[in-house]
Amino acid sequence: MSEAMIASPESSQSAEFERRQKLELNKLQKRLRREVGQAIADFSMIEAGDKVMCCLSGGKDSYAMLDILLNLQKSAPVSFELIAVNLDQKQPGFPEEVLPEYLKTMGIEYHIIEKDTYSIVKEKVPEGKTTCGLCSRLRRGILYNFAEEHGVTKIALGHHRDDLLETLFLNMFYGGKLKSMPPVLHSDDGRNTVIRPLAYAREKDIARYAALREFPIIPCNLCGSQENLQRQVIKDMFQSWDKQHPGRLETMFRAMCNVEPSHLADTNLYNFRDGERLGGKRQAVNTAEPEDAGHFGRLDVLNI
């Protein structure tokens, strides 16, 4: 038997590793497809003829969202259009060539919007303070206006199940409100509809899927690590719970989907005198023109 016919231990191990990686990728893709498809169906996120704008940040979540939606688009029972949009906020060192190069390989219509929000954020936010609030306001205002100008009917954001749970706890701990980010959010003025197709997906599944798909991740360096941010504290708490009490996060999310107003204490949701459910307060996307808007025009502030 020739030496060429004898597989080395190294090549056998490599082949086995690649086989396992492929199996894991297929398994994760099927799970995410199922969860995204279920969320779309449960919350009527996408309808026939929709033009869906996938907002890409360069992070794992938005990459995974676009990837799964493109996959679902091929077999969806309704026809809808997908476009990808990234906002280049002119952060120093931002690798502006990464997303265009990636999107060219995907064969999807894409747009890169260039707006220097970085300078505004650094000017308005004191050193050491979190930049996330103003940064997200500016970013979303620009994206929402772009959507309206380009006939977009749905704006898809990459928030996942863990984001929804974290926001719930942030609002309870620091905001005194029992609310999160809804899977679908309609603006009061009818200009925008935001959808979150990854609402049922776990962050750890998305992270692993992104690693296996080798997405060209672009980190957000505007705010640095900001390890002491309130959201990071909640995230760390969740990770600890997930390790010590498997299934707790799943139960918590089911609770978000199974609310009983009569067993809470909001008189806007329940008439305790007559024992009747009420419509409650409806608050979605408000319009504002803060002083720091500069030349960016009207801003849409998403209350989350």
Side-chain angles (χ1 to χ4, degrees):
M1 184 178 294
S2 66
E3 293 182 2
M5 297 178 64
I6 302 176
S8 66
E10 291 79 6
S11 63
S12 297
Q13 291 176 359
S14 177
E16 176 63 16
F17 177 76
E18 291 179 3
R19 185 186 71 84
R20 291 183 178 180
Q21 294 280 89
K22 187 175 180 179
L23 286 174
E24 184 181 5
L25 176 60
N26 289 338
K27 182 179 179 180
L28 273 175
Q29 186 179 62
K30 289 179 180 178
R31 178 185 299 164
L32 290 172
R33 270 178 52 100
R34 182 178 67 253
E35 291 170 343
V36 171
Q38 190 63 53
I40 290 174
D42 286 350
F43 301 104
S44 302
M45 290 186 182
I46 299 176
E47 300 170 306
D50 270 339
K51 185 175 184 179
V52 181
M53 183 177 91
C54 294
C55 298
L56 294 186
S57 65
K60 67 181 190 312
D61 305 327
S62 56
Y63 273 125
M65 176 184 69
L66 175 62
D67 189 82
I68 296 299
L69 286 178
L70 283 170
N71 193 286
L72 285 173
Q73 186 185 37
K74 300 174 183 177
S75 58
V78 297
S79 176
F80 61 93
E81 183 180 352
L82 287 172
I83 66 170
V85 175
N86 168 256
L87 175 59
D88 180 354
Q89 299 176 268
K90 297 305 176 183
Q91 299 176 21
F94 180 78
E96 59 185 23
E97 74 286 349
V98 171
L99 275 169
E101 290 179 1
Y102 172 78
L103 292 169
K104 286 177 184 177
T105 67
M106 301 299 290
I108 183 176
E109 177 187 341
Y110 70 90
H111 302 267
I112 307 296
I113 308 170
E114 298 185 8
K115 296 287 186 181
D116 186 7
T117 63
Y118 175 84
S119 298
I120 293 180
V121 171
K122 298 303 289 184
E123 176 187 351
K124 298 295 182 181
V125 179
E127 190 69 28
K129 298 293 183 179
T130 176
T131 59
C132 298
L134 177 57
C135 180
S136 63
R137 279 179 144 190
L138 292 168
R139 182 173 64 249
R140 284 177 176 159
I142 294 166
L143 291 172
Y144 291 170
N145 288 335
F146 179 91
E148 184 181 24
E149 293 167 1
H150 290 77
V152 169
T153 58
K154 303 287 174 61
I155 301 171
L157 303 181
H159 298 120
H160 45 68
R161 186 204 67 179
D162 297 59
D163 286 325
L164 272 60
L165 281 171
E166 289 166 12
T167 303
L168 174 68
F169 274 69
L170 281 169
N171 279 313
M172 286 194 299
F173 289 175
Y174 305 108
K177 294 182 179 180
L178 190 62
K179 70 173 186 176
S180 180
M181 296 186 289
V184 176
L185 183 69
H186 302 286
S187 64
D188 287 331
D189 57 13
R191 294 176 64 225
N192 306 114
T193 298
V194 172
I195 63 174
R196 296 182 170 94
L198 296 177
Y200 287 164
R202 301 184 299 178
E203 182 175 19
K204 60 184 179 183
D205 287 342
I206 295 171
R208 183 55 181 159
Y209 184 72
L212 290 170
R213 292 282 281 116
E214 298 182 336
F215 294 136
I217 304 299
I218 302 175
C220 177
N221 296 320
L222 174 62
C223 53
S225 60
Q226 293 193 327
E227 295 177 348
N228 295 321
L229 288 179
Q230 294 167 342
R231 183 174 289 274
Q232 187 60 48
V233 173
I234 300 296
K235 188 182 291 289
D236 293 342
M237 181 178 71
F238 282 2
Q239 290 176 351
S240 175
W241 284 353
D242 199 34
K243 292 178 180 178
Q244 298 177 17
H245 308 281
R248 174 176 288 185
L249 298 185
E250 285 73 14
T251 302
M252 288 163 50
F253 186 74
R254 285 201 301 272
M256 284 183 60
C257 303
N258 188 24
V259 178
E260 182 47 70
S262 65
H263 285 62
L264 296 175
D266 191 337
T267 56
N268 291 290
L269 290 177
Y270 194 80
N271 183 337
F272 290 91
R273 183 183 64 183
D274 300 325
E276 297 176 347
R277 292 193 182 195
L278 304 175
K281 295 172 288 188
R282 182 177 181 273
Q283 193 172 27
V285 179
N286 292 336
T287 300
E289 294 184 10
E291 294 179 357
D292 52 23
H295 60 282
F296 292 108
R298 184 173 64 180
L299 297 183
D300 291 313
V301 182
L302 180 61
N303 294 312
I304 60 174

